mmCIF file with all atom_site columns, all heavy atoms in Angstrom:
data_model
loop_
_atom_site.group_PDB
_atom_site.id
_atom_site.type_symbol
_atom_site.label_atom_id
_atom_site.label_alt_id
_atom_site.label_comp_id
_atom_site.label_asym_id
_atom_site.label_entity_id
_atom_site.label_seq_id
_atom_site.pdbx_PDB_ins_code
_atom_site.Cartn_x
_atom_site.Cartn_y
_atom_site.Cartn_z
_atom_site.occupancy
_atom_site.B_iso_or_equiv
_atom_site.pdbx_formal_charge
_atom_site.auth_seq_id
_atom_site.auth_comp_id
_atom_site.auth_asym_id
_atom_site.auth_atom_id
_atom_site.pdbx_PDB_model_num
ATOM 1   N N   . MET T 1 1  ? -89.135 21.367 78.075 1.00 98.00 ? 644 MET T N   1
ATOM 2   C CA  . MET T 1 1  ? -89.858 22.615 78.431 1.00 98.00 ? 644 MET T CA  1
ATOM 3   C C   . MET T 1 1  ? -90.313 22.549 79.906 1.00 98.00 ? 644 MET T C   1
ATOM 4   O O   . MET T 1 1  ? -90.732 21.551 80.404 1.00 98.00 ? 644 MET T O   1
ATOM 5   C CB  . MET T 1 1  ? -91.121 22.614 77.551 1.00 98.00 ? 644 MET T CB  1
ATOM 6   C CG  . MET T 1 1  ? -90.893 22.728 76.075 1.00 98.00 ? 644 MET T CG  1
ATOM 7   S SD  . MET T 1 1  ? -92.376 22.483 75.162 1.00 98.00 ? 644 MET T SD  1
ATOM 8   C CE  . MET T 1 1  ? -92.431 20.747 75.067 1.00 98.00 ? 644 MET T CE  1
ATOM 9   N N   . GLY T 1 2  ? -90.261 23.708 80.529 1.00 97.00 ? 645 GLY T N   1
ATOM 10  C CA  . GLY T 1 2  ? -90.749 23.813 81.848 1.00 97.00 ? 645 GLY T CA  1
ATOM 11  C C   . GLY T 1 2  ? -92.255 23.836 81.968 1.00 97.00 ? 645 GLY T C   1
ATOM 12  O O   . GLY T 1 2  ? -92.839 23.513 82.936 1.00 97.00 ? 645 GLY T O   1
ATOM 13  N N   . SER T 1 3  ? -92.876 24.157 80.827 1.00 96.00 ? 646 SER T N   1
ATOM 14  C CA  . SER T 1 3  ? -94.312 24.223 80.710 1.00 96.00 ? 646 SER T CA  1
ATOM 15  C C   . SER T 1 3  ? -94.682 24.010 79.274 1.00 96.00 ? 646 SER T C   1
ATOM 16  O O   . SER T 1 3  ? -93.919 24.396 78.334 1.00 96.00 ? 646 SER T O   1
ATOM 17  C CB  . SER T 1 3  ? -94.761 25.616 81.203 1.00 96.00 ? 646 SER T CB  1
ATOM 18  O OG  . SER T 1 3  ? -96.092 25.850 80.812 1.00 96.00 ? 646 SER T OG  1
ATOM 19  N N   . ALA T 1 4  ? -95.872 23.403 79.062 1.00 97.00 ? 647 ALA T N   1
ATOM 20  C CA  . ALA T 1 4  ? -96.348 23.214 77.701 1.00 97.00 ? 647 ALA T CA  1
ATOM 21  C C   . ALA T 1 4  ? -96.509 24.554 76.963 1.00 97.00 ? 647 ALA T C   1
ATOM 22  O O   . ALA T 1 4  ? -96.483 24.603 75.744 1.00 97.00 ? 647 ALA T O   1
ATOM 23  C CB  . ALA T 1 4  ? -97.653 22.435 77.698 1.00 97.00 ? 647 ALA T CB  1
ATOM 24  N N   . SER T 1 5  ? -96.648 25.655 77.709 1.00 96.00 ? 648 SER T N   1
ATOM 25  C CA  . SER T 1 5  ? -96.809 26.959 77.079 1.00 96.00 ? 648 SER T CA  1
ATOM 26  C C   . SER T 1 5  ? -95.409 27.361 76.295 1.00 96.00 ? 648 SER T C   1
ATOM 27  O O   . SER T 1 5  ? -95.401 28.273 75.515 1.00 96.00 ? 648 SER T O   1
ATOM 28  C CB  . SER T 1 5  ? -97.112 28.062 78.050 1.00 96.00 ? 648 SER T CB  1
ATOM 29  O OG  . SER T 1 5  ? -96.094 28.263 79.035 1.00 96.00 ? 648 SER T OG  1
ATOM 30  N N   . ASP T 1 6  ? -94.355 26.648 76.593 1.00 97.00 ? 649 ASP T N   1
ATOM 31  C CA  . ASP T 1 6  ? -93.062 26.904 75.939 1.00 97.00 ? 649 ASP T CA  1
ATOM 32  C C   . ASP T 1 6  ? -92.955 26.203 74.582 1.00 97.00 ? 649 ASP T C   1
ATOM 33  O O   . ASP T 1 6  ? -91.979 26.292 73.846 1.00 97.00 ? 649 ASP T O   1
ATOM 34  C CB  . ASP T 1 6  ? -91.924 26.420 76.799 1.00 97.00 ? 649 ASP T CB  1
ATOM 35  C CG  . ASP T 1 6  ? -91.827 27.178 78.132 1.00 97.00 ? 649 ASP T CG  1
ATOM 36  O OD1 . ASP T 1 6  ? -92.151 28.407 78.113 1.00 97.00 ? 649 ASP T OD1 1
ATOM 37  O OD2 . ASP T 1 6  ? -91.505 26.631 79.156 1.00 97.00 ? 649 ASP T OD2 1
ATOM 38  N N   . LEU T 1 7  ? -94.064 25.487 74.131 1.00 98.00 ? 650 LEU T N   1
ATOM 39  C CA  . LEU T 1 7  ? -93.946 24.681 72.924 1.00 98.00 ? 650 LEU T CA  1
ATOM 40  C C   . LEU T 1 7  ? -93.628 25.505 71.649 1.00 98.00 ? 650 LEU T C   1
ATOM 41  O O   . LEU T 1 7  ? -92.839 25.052 70.843 1.00 98.00 ? 650 LEU T O   1
ATOM 42  C CB  . LEU T 1 7  ? -95.315 23.945 72.691 1.00 98.00 ? 650 LEU T CB  1
ATOM 43  C CG  . LEU T 1 7  ? -95.345 22.989 71.506 1.00 98.00 ? 650 LEU T CG  1
ATOM 44  C CD1 . LEU T 1 7  ? -94.248 21.938 71.679 1.00 98.00 ? 650 LEU T CD1 1
ATOM 45  C CD2 . LEU T 1 7  ? -96.758 22.348 71.433 1.00 98.00 ? 650 LEU T CD2 1
ATOM 46  N N   . PRO T 1 8  ? -94.094 26.749 71.461 1.00 98.00 ? 651 PRO T N   1
ATOM 47  C CA  . PRO T 1 8  ? -93.676 27.481 70.285 1.00 98.00 ? 651 PRO T CA  1
ATOM 48  C C   . PRO T 1 8  ? -92.169 27.695 70.175 1.00 98.00 ? 651 PRO T C   1
ATOM 49  O O   . PRO T 1 8  ? -91.569 27.634 69.077 1.00 98.00 ? 651 PRO T O   1
ATOM 50  C CB  . PRO T 1 8  ? -94.417 28.830 70.416 1.00 98.00 ? 651 PRO T CB  1
ATOM 51  C CG  . PRO T 1 8  ? -95.641 28.519 71.219 1.00 98.00 ? 651 PRO T CG  1
ATOM 52  C CD  . PRO T 1 8  ? -95.171 27.509 72.243 1.00 98.00 ? 651 PRO T CD  1
ATOM 53  N N   . ILE T 1 9  ? -91.484 27.852 71.303 1.00 98.00 ? 652 ILE T N   1
ATOM 54  C CA  . ILE T 1 9  ? -90.034 27.981 71.310 1.00 98.00 ? 652 ILE T CA  1
ATOM 55  C C   . ILE T 1 9  ? -89.450 26.566 70.972 1.00 98.00 ? 652 ILE T C   1
ATOM 56  O O   . ILE T 1 9  ? -88.498 26.518 70.177 1.00 98.00 ? 652 ILE T O   1
ATOM 57  C CB  . ILE T 1 9  ? -89.558 28.517 72.623 1.00 98.00 ? 652 ILE T CB  1
ATOM 58  C CG1 . ILE T 1 9  ? -90.164 29.874 72.945 1.00 98.00 ? 652 ILE T CG1 1
ATOM 59  C CG2 . ILE T 1 9  ? -88.032 28.632 72.652 1.00 98.00 ? 652 ILE T CG2 1
ATOM 60  C CD1 . ILE T 1 9  ? -89.962 30.332 74.380 1.00 98.00 ? 652 ILE T CD1 1
ATOM 61  N N   . ALA T 1 10 ? -89.918 25.606 71.615 1.00 98.00 ? 653 ALA T N   1
ATOM 62  C CA  . ALA T 1 10 ? -89.409 24.223 71.393 1.00 98.00 ? 653 ALA T CA  1
ATOM 63  C C   . ALA T 1 10 ? -89.591 23.866 69.959 1.00 98.00 ? 653 ALA T C   1
ATOM 64  O O   . ALA T 1 10 ? -88.684 23.236 69.353 1.00 98.00 ? 653 ALA T O   1
ATOM 65  C CB  . ALA T 1 10 ? -90.140 23.270 72.316 1.00 98.00 ? 653 ALA T CB  1
ATOM 66  N N   . GLU T 1 11 ? -90.698 24.244 69.320 1.00 98.00 ? 654 GLU T N   1
ATOM 67  C CA  . GLU T 1 11 ? -90.920 23.870 67.925 1.00 98.00 ? 654 GLU T CA  1
ATOM 68  C C   . GLU T 1 11 ? -89.889 24.487 66.982 1.00 98.00 ? 654 GLU T C   1
ATOM 69  O O   . GLU T 1 11 ? -89.432 23.852 66.006 1.00 98.00 ? 654 GLU T O   1
ATOM 70  C CB  . GLU T 1 11 ? -92.292 24.284 67.488 1.00 98.00 ? 654 GLU T CB  1
ATOM 71  C CG  . GLU T 1 11 ? -93.336 23.366 68.051 1.00 98.00 ? 654 GLU T CG  1
ATOM 72  C CD  . GLU T 1 11 ? -94.794 23.781 67.741 1.00 98.00 ? 654 GLU T CD  1
ATOM 73  O OE1 . GLU T 1 11 ? -95.024 25.015 67.592 1.00 98.00 ? 654 GLU T OE1 1
ATOM 74  O OE2 . GLU T 1 11 ? -95.652 22.903 67.761 1.00 98.00 ? 654 GLU T OE2 1
ATOM 75  N N   . LYS T 1 12 ? -89.285 25.702 67.369 1.00 98.00 ? 655 LYS T N   1
ATOM 76  C CA  . LYS T 1 12 ? -88.268 26.247 66.514 1.00 98.00 ? 655 LYS T CA  1
ATOM 77  C C   . LYS T 1 12 ? -86.996 25.387 66.589 1.00 98.00 ? 655 LYS T C   1
ATOM 78  O O   . LYS T 1 12 ? -86.337 25.137 65.591 1.00 98.00 ? 655 LYS T O   1
ATOM 79  C CB  . LYS T 1 12 ? -87.955 27.683 66.951 1.00 98.00 ? 655 LYS T CB  1
ATOM 80  C CG  . LYS T 1 12 ? -89.056 28.679 66.826 1.00 98.00 ? 655 LYS T CG  1
ATOM 81  C CD  . LYS T 1 12 ? -89.293 28.993 65.380 1.00 98.00 ? 655 LYS T CD  1
ATOM 82  C CE  . LYS T 1 12 ? -90.303 30.141 65.287 1.00 98.00 ? 655 LYS T CE  1
ATOM 83  N NZ  . LYS T 1 12 ? -90.775 30.301 63.991 1.00 98.00 ? 655 LYS T NZ  1
ATOM 84  N N   . ALA T 1 13 ? -86.671 24.910 67.830 1.00 98.00 ? 656 ALA T N   1
ATOM 85  C CA  . ALA T 1 13 ? -85.568 24.010 68.010 1.00 98.00 ? 656 ALA T CA  1
ATOM 86  C C   . ALA T 1 13 ? -85.769 22.708 67.251 1.00 98.00 ? 656 ALA T C   1
ATOM 87  O O   . ALA T 1 13 ? -84.932 22.165 66.614 1.00 98.00 ? 656 ALA T O   1
ATOM 88  C CB  . ALA T 1 13 ? -85.321 23.824 69.506 1.00 98.00 ? 656 ALA T CB  1
ATOM 89  N N   . ILE T 1 14 ? -86.955 22.151 67.435 1.00 98.00 ? 657 ILE T N   1
ATOM 90  C CA  . ILE T 1 14 ? -87.285 20.877 66.765 1.00 98.00 ? 657 ILE T CA  1
ATOM 91  C C   . ILE T 1 14 ? -87.194 20.918 65.236 1.00 98.00 ? 657 ILE T C   1
ATOM 92  O O   . ILE T 1 14 ? -86.617 20.080 64.665 1.00 98.00 ? 657 ILE T O   1
ATOM 93  C CB  . ILE T 1 14 ? -88.684 20.419 67.218 1.00 98.00 ? 657 ILE T CB  1
ATOM 94  C CG1 . ILE T 1 14 ? -88.661 20.057 68.726 1.00 98.00 ? 657 ILE T CG1 1
ATOM 95  C CG2 . ILE T 1 14 ? -89.205 19.229 66.393 1.00 98.00 ? 657 ILE T CG2 1
ATOM 96  C CD1 . ILE T 1 14 ? -90.071 19.920 69.347 1.00 98.00 ? 657 ILE T CD1 1
ATOM 97  N N   . GLU T 1 15 ? -87.688 21.993 64.706 1.00 98.00 ? 658 GLU T N   1
ATOM 98  C CA  . GLU T 1 15 ? -87.645 22.176 63.211 1.00 98.00 ? 658 GLU T CA  1
ATOM 99  C C   . GLU T 1 15 ? -86.203 22.219 62.737 1.00 98.00 ? 658 GLU T C   1
ATOM 100 O O   . GLU T 1 15 ? -85.856 21.620 61.733 1.00 98.00 ? 658 GLU T O   1
ATOM 101 C CB  . GLU T 1 15 ? -88.342 23.448 62.878 1.00 98.00 ? 658 GLU T CB  1
ATOM 102 C CG  . GLU T 1 15 ? -89.861 23.440 62.928 1.00 98.00 ? 658 GLU T CG  1
ATOM 103 C CD  . GLU T 1 15 ? -90.515 24.782 62.773 1.00 98.00 ? 658 GLU T CD  1
ATOM 104 O OE1 . GLU T 1 15 ? -89.858 25.714 62.346 1.00 98.00 ? 658 GLU T OE1 1
ATOM 105 O OE2 . GLU T 1 15 ? -91.726 24.941 63.051 1.00 98.00 ? 658 GLU T OE2 1
ATOM 106 N N   . GLN T 1 16 ? -85.338 22.947 63.574 1.00 98.00 ? 659 GLN T N   1
ATOM 107 C CA  . GLN T 1 16 ? -83.975 23.015 63.151 1.00 98.00 ? 659 GLN T CA  1
ATOM 108 C C   . GLN T 1 16 ? -83.281 21.649 63.248 1.00 98.00 ? 659 GLN T C   1
ATOM 109 O O   . GLN T 1 16 ? -82.498 21.289 62.442 1.00 98.00 ? 659 GLN T O   1
ATOM 110 C CB  . GLN T 1 16 ? -83.218 24.081 63.940 1.00 98.00 ? 659 GLN T CB  1
ATOM 111 C CG  . GLN T 1 16 ? -81.799 24.342 63.533 1.00 98.00 ? 659 GLN T CG  1
ATOM 112 C CD  . GLN T 1 16 ? -81.753 24.933 62.134 1.00 98.00 ? 659 GLN T CD  1
ATOM 113 O OE1 . GLN T 1 16 ? -82.267 25.976 61.885 1.00 98.00 ? 659 GLN T OE1 1
ATOM 114 N NE2 . GLN T 1 16 ? -81.136 24.232 61.138 1.00 98.00 ? 659 GLN T NE2 1
ATOM 115 N N   . LEU T 1 17 ? -83.488 20.927 64.342 1.00 98.00 ? 660 LEU T N   1
ATOM 116 C CA  . LEU T 1 17 ? -82.931 19.569 64.544 1.00 98.00 ? 660 LEU T CA  1
ATOM 117 C C   . LEU T 1 17 ? -83.360 18.636 63.453 1.00 98.00 ? 660 LEU T C   1
ATOM 118 O O   . LEU T 1 17 ? -82.575 17.927 62.852 1.00 98.00 ? 660 LEU T O   1
ATOM 119 C CB  . LEU T 1 17 ? -83.310 19.027 65.899 1.00 98.00 ? 660 LEU T CB  1
ATOM 120 C CG  . LEU T 1 17 ? -82.725 19.750 67.113 1.00 98.00 ? 660 LEU T CG  1
ATOM 121 C CD1 . LEU T 1 17 ? -83.330 19.268 68.411 1.00 98.00 ? 660 LEU T CD1 1
ATOM 122 C CD2 . LEU T 1 17 ? -81.212 19.595 67.179 1.00 98.00 ? 660 LEU T CD2 1
ATOM 123 N N   . GLU T 1 18 ? -84.659 18.707 63.114 1.00 98.00 ? 661 GLU T N   1
ATOM 124 C CA  . GLU T 1 18 ? -85.179 17.875 62.025 1.00 98.00 ? 661 GLU T CA  1
ATOM 125 C C   . GLU T 1 18 ? -84.484 18.197 60.673 1.00 98.00 ? 661 GLU T C   1
ATOM 126 O O   . GLU T 1 18 ? -84.202 17.321 59.922 1.00 98.00 ? 661 GLU T O   1
ATOM 127 C CB  . GLU T 1 18 ? -86.703 17.991 61.871 1.00 98.00 ? 661 GLU T CB  1
ATOM 128 C CG  . GLU T 1 18 ? -87.432 17.295 62.979 1.00 98.00 ? 661 GLU T CG  1
ATOM 129 C CD  . GLU T 1 18 ? -88.906 17.492 62.900 1.00 98.00 ? 661 GLU T CD  1
ATOM 130 O OE1 . GLU T 1 18 ? -89.468 18.323 62.139 1.00 98.00 ? 661 GLU T OE1 1
ATOM 131 O OE2 . GLU T 1 18 ? -89.619 16.714 63.622 1.00 98.00 ? 661 GLU T OE2 1
ATOM 132 N N   . SER T 1 19 ? -84.253 19.470 60.392 1.00 98.00 ? 662 SER T N   1
ATOM 133 C CA  . SER T 1 19 ? -83.661 19.871 59.100 1.00 98.00 ? 662 SER T CA  1
ATOM 134 C C   . SER T 1 19 ? -82.204 19.323 58.991 1.00 98.00 ? 662 SER T C   1
ATOM 135 O O   . SER T 1 19 ? -81.739 19.210 57.880 1.00 98.00 ? 662 SER T O   1
ATOM 136 C CB  . SER T 1 19 ? -83.686 21.367 59.003 1.00 98.00 ? 662 SER T CB  1
ATOM 137 O OG  . SER T 1 19 ? -82.720 21.924 59.746 1.00 98.00 ? 662 SER T OG  1
ATOM 138 N N   . LEU T 1 20 ? -81.599 19.014 60.143 1.00 98.00 ? 663 LEU T N   1
ATOM 139 C CA  . LEU T 1 20 ? -80.208 18.508 60.093 1.00 98.00 ? 663 LEU T CA  1
ATOM 140 C C   . LEU T 1 20 ? -80.235 17.021 60.352 1.00 98.00 ? 663 LEU T C   1
ATOM 141 O O   . LEU T 1 20 ? -79.166 16.412 60.537 1.00 98.00 ? 663 LEU T O   1
ATOM 142 C CB  . LEU T 1 20 ? -79.422 19.240 61.179 1.00 98.00 ? 663 LEU T CB  1
ATOM 143 C CG  . LEU T 1 20 ? -79.155 20.685 60.949 1.00 98.00 ? 663 LEU T CG  1
ATOM 144 C CD1 . LEU T 1 20 ? -78.628 21.371 62.250 1.00 98.00 ? 663 LEU T CD1 1
ATOM 145 C CD2 . LEU T 1 20 ? -78.235 20.944 59.761 1.00 98.00 ? 663 LEU T CD2 1
ATOM 146 N N   . ASP T 1 21 ? -81.392 16.408 60.463 1.00 98.00 ? 664 ASP T N   1
ATOM 147 C CA  . ASP T 1 21 ? -81.538 14.937 60.740 1.00 98.00 ? 664 ASP T CA  1
ATOM 148 C C   . ASP T 1 21 ? -80.857 14.559 62.099 1.00 98.00 ? 664 ASP T C   1
ATOM 149 O O   . ASP T 1 21 ? -80.332 13.492 62.204 1.00 98.00 ? 664 ASP T O   1
ATOM 150 C CB  . ASP T 1 21 ? -80.884 14.100 59.673 1.00 98.00 ? 664 ASP T CB  1
ATOM 151 C CG  . ASP T 1 21 ? -81.626 14.312 58.340 1.00 98.00 ? 664 ASP T CG  1
ATOM 152 O OD1 . ASP T 1 21 ? -82.830 14.411 58.327 1.00 98.00 ? 664 ASP T OD1 1
ATOM 153 O OD2 . ASP T 1 21 ? -80.897 14.425 57.280 1.00 98.00 ? 664 ASP T OD2 1
ATOM 154 N N   . VAL T 1 22 ? -81.035 15.467 63.127 1.00 98.00 ? 665 VAL T N   1
ATOM 155 C CA  . VAL T 1 22 ? -80.488 15.186 64.408 1.00 98.00 ? 665 VAL T CA  1
ATOM 156 C C   . VAL T 1 22 ? -81.657 14.517 65.270 1.00 98.00 ? 665 VAL T C   1
ATOM 157 O O   . VAL T 1 22 ? -82.739 15.155 65.385 1.00 98.00 ? 665 VAL T O   1
ATOM 158 C CB  . VAL T 1 22 ? -80.034 16.452 65.137 1.00 98.00 ? 665 VAL T CB  1
ATOM 159 C CG1 . VAL T 1 22 ? -79.669 16.175 66.552 1.00 98.00 ? 665 VAL T CG1 1
ATOM 160 C CG2 . VAL T 1 22 ? -78.857 17.046 64.386 1.00 98.00 ? 665 VAL T CG2 1
ATOM 161 N N   . PRO T 1 23 ? -81.400 13.320 65.782 1.00 98.00 ? 666 PRO T N   1
ATOM 162 C CA  . PRO T 1 23 ? -82.411 12.722 66.574 1.00 98.00 ? 666 PRO T CA  1
ATOM 163 C C   . PRO T 1 23 ? -82.728 13.518 67.940 1.00 98.00 ? 666 PRO T C   1
ATOM 164 O O   . PRO T 1 23 ? -81.735 14.062 68.468 1.00 98.00 ? 666 PRO T O   1
ATOM 165 C CB  . PRO T 1 23 ? -81.921 11.326 66.877 1.00 98.00 ? 666 PRO T CB  1
ATOM 166 C CG  . PRO T 1 23 ? -80.476 11.288 66.524 1.00 98.00 ? 666 PRO T CG  1
ATOM 167 C CD  . PRO T 1 23 ? -80.216 12.519 65.703 1.00 98.00 ? 666 PRO T CD  1
ATOM 168 N N   . TYR T 1 24 ? -83.936 13.522 68.354 1.00 98.00 ? 667 TYR T N   1
ATOM 169 C CA  . TYR T 1 24 ? -84.327 14.231 69.531 1.00 98.00 ? 667 TYR T CA  1
ATOM 170 C C   . TYR T 1 24 ? -85.460 13.606 70.276 1.00 98.00 ? 667 TYR T C   1
ATOM 171 O O   . TYR T 1 24 ? -86.132 12.719 69.674 1.00 98.00 ? 667 TYR T O   1
ATOM 172 C CB  . TYR T 1 24 ? -84.661 15.675 69.211 1.00 98.00 ? 667 TYR T CB  1
ATOM 173 C CG  . TYR T 1 24 ? -85.854 15.808 68.288 1.00 98.00 ? 667 TYR T CG  1
ATOM 174 C CD1 . TYR T 1 24 ? -87.178 15.855 68.830 1.00 98.00 ? 667 TYR T CD1 1
ATOM 175 C CD2 . TYR T 1 24 ? -85.722 15.793 66.918 1.00 98.00 ? 667 TYR T CD2 1
ATOM 176 C CE1 . TYR T 1 24 ? -88.312 15.941 68.051 1.00 98.00 ? 667 TYR T CE1 1
ATOM 177 C CE2 . TYR T 1 24 ? -86.853 15.839 66.090 1.00 98.00 ? 667 TYR T CE2 1
ATOM 178 C CZ  . TYR T 1 24 ? -88.121 15.940 66.639 1.00 98.00 ? 667 TYR T CZ  1
ATOM 179 O OH  . TYR T 1 24 ? -89.229 15.942 65.875 1.00 98.00 ? 667 TYR T OH  1
ATOM 180 N N   . GLU T 1 25 ? -85.704 14.005 71.477 1.00 98.00 ? 668 GLU T N   1
ATOM 181 C CA  . GLU T 1 25 ? -86.912 13.695 72.193 1.00 98.00 ? 668 GLU T CA  1
ATOM 182 C C   . GLU T 1 25 ? -87.336 14.903 72.930 1.00 98.00 ? 668 GLU T C   1
ATOM 183 O O   . GLU T 1 25 ? -86.536 15.848 73.161 1.00 98.00 ? 668 GLU T O   1
ATOM 184 C CB  . GLU T 1 25 ? -86.691 12.508 73.153 1.00 98.00 ? 668 GLU T CB  1
ATOM 185 C CG  . GLU T 1 25 ? -85.618 12.670 74.181 1.00 98.00 ? 668 GLU T CG  1
ATOM 186 C CD  . GLU T 1 25 ? -85.400 11.338 75.012 1.00 98.00 ? 668 GLU T CD  1
ATOM 187 O OE1 . GLU T 1 25 ? -84.968 10.393 74.433 1.00 98.00 ? 668 GLU T OE1 1
ATOM 188 O OE2 . GLU T 1 25 ? -85.679 11.511 76.245 1.00 98.00 ? 668 GLU T OE2 1
ATOM 189 N N   . VAL T 1 26 ? -88.626 14.989 73.278 1.00 98.00 ? 669 VAL T N   1
ATOM 190 C CA  . VAL T 1 26 ? -89.194 16.196 73.813 1.00 98.00 ? 669 VAL T CA  1
ATOM 191 C C   . VAL T 1 26 ? -90.008 15.822 75.104 1.00 98.00 ? 669 VAL T C   1
ATOM 192 O O   . VAL T 1 26 ? -90.756 14.845 75.145 1.00 98.00 ? 669 VAL T O   1
ATOM 193 C CB  . VAL T 1 26 ? -90.151 16.869 72.823 1.00 98.00 ? 669 VAL T CB  1
ATOM 194 C CG1 . VAL T 1 26 ? -90.725 18.194 73.376 1.00 98.00 ? 669 VAL T CG1 1
ATOM 195 C CG2 . VAL T 1 26 ? -89.455 17.162 71.477 1.00 98.00 ? 669 VAL T CG2 1
ATOM 196 N N   . HIS T 1 27 ? -89.881 16.635 76.151 1.00 98.00 ? 670 HIS T N   1
ATOM 197 C CA  . HIS T 1 27 ? -90.577 16.451 77.385 1.00 98.00 ? 670 HIS T CA  1
ATOM 198 C C   . HIS T 1 27 ? -90.963 17.714 78.050 1.00 98.00 ? 670 HIS T C   1
ATOM 199 O O   . HIS T 1 27 ? -90.401 18.783 77.753 1.00 98.00 ? 670 HIS T O   1
ATOM 200 C CB  . HIS T 1 27 ? -89.649 15.707 78.375 1.00 98.00 ? 670 HIS T CB  1
ATOM 201 C CG  . HIS T 1 27 ? -89.045 14.456 77.829 1.00 98.00 ? 670 HIS T CG  1
ATOM 202 N ND1 . HIS T 1 27 ? -89.729 13.285 77.870 1.00 98.00 ? 670 HIS T ND1 1
ATOM 203 C CD2 . HIS T 1 27 ? -87.904 14.199 77.217 1.00 98.00 ? 670 HIS T CD2 1
ATOM 204 C CE1 . HIS T 1 27 ? -89.014 12.266 77.355 1.00 98.00 ? 670 HIS T CE1 1
ATOM 205 N NE2 . HIS T 1 27 ? -87.887 12.798 76.957 1.00 98.00 ? 670 HIS T NE2 1
#
């Protein structure tokens, strides 16, 4: 994310990755 204010968008991606058991990291 370019800014912590982008977290709601990132969370949509994270939820989808988790549902597919895809490992990720967030910064």
Side-chain angles (χ1 to χ4, degrees):
M644 295 169 275
S646 167
S648 65
D649 299 324
L650 186 57
I652 301 165
E654 287 175 332
K655 296 288 187 194
I657 291 164
E658 289 169 12
Q659 187 64 63
L660 293 170
E661 286 178 346
S662 76
L663 295 166
D664 298 318
V665 173
Y667 63 88
E668 56 185 66
V669 184
H670 305 277

